[in-house]
Amino acid sequence: QAQLVESGGGLVQAGGSLRLSCATSASIFSTYAMGWYRQAQGKQRELVAEFTAGGLTNYADSVKGRFTISRDNTKNTVYLQMNSLKPEDTGVYKCNAAYYRYNYWGQGTQVTVTS
C-alpha cells in the first residue's frame, strides 16, 4: 500500500492563501500520475489539479488562475498552492497517485475558507 502524507490545510479567510503538500516514496513519485482532489460536504469528490501521465498539468475550471500544482523531485513531494481562496473552496483535500489500475489516496486535509 502506497503512503501519501498530506499537510498544510487549515482555516483561512476569503482571499487568503494556503499551500498543501503531499509527500510519498520515490518509486510512487517517479511512476504515478499525482494530483489533488477535494470533496465538500454533501457533494461528490472532484478533481482540483493534477499532473497527467505525460507530465502536463490539468486544473478544474473553478480553480484556474488561482491554484498551482507543482512538484519537488528532490523531496518526492507534490504541492498545491492555493491563492485567492473562496468559501466554495472549502472541503477535504486529498492527494492521489494513479498508475493504470493502481490508485492510492492520502488521508485528507481539511481546508476551510470563511467569508
Side-chain angles (χ1 to χ4, degrees), residues 69-86:
I69 190 170
S70 63
R71 56 195 297 153
D72 185 333
N73 295 336
T74 66
K75 297 181 179 179
N76 301 323
T77 299
V78 174
Y79 301 98
L80 183 68
Q81 178 66 43
M82 305 185 293
N83 298 329
S84 302
L85 282 160
K86 304 176 181 180

Side-chain angles (χ1 to χ4, degrees), residues 34-35 47-60 64 67-71 78-80:
M34 305 288 294
L47 173 69
V48 177
E50 66 177 345
F51 285 104
T52 66
L56 301 177
T57 56
N58 181 40
Y59 294 90
K64 284 180 181 177
F67 290 12
T68 303
I69 190 170
S70 63
R71 56 195 297 153
V78 174
Y79 301 98
L80 183 68

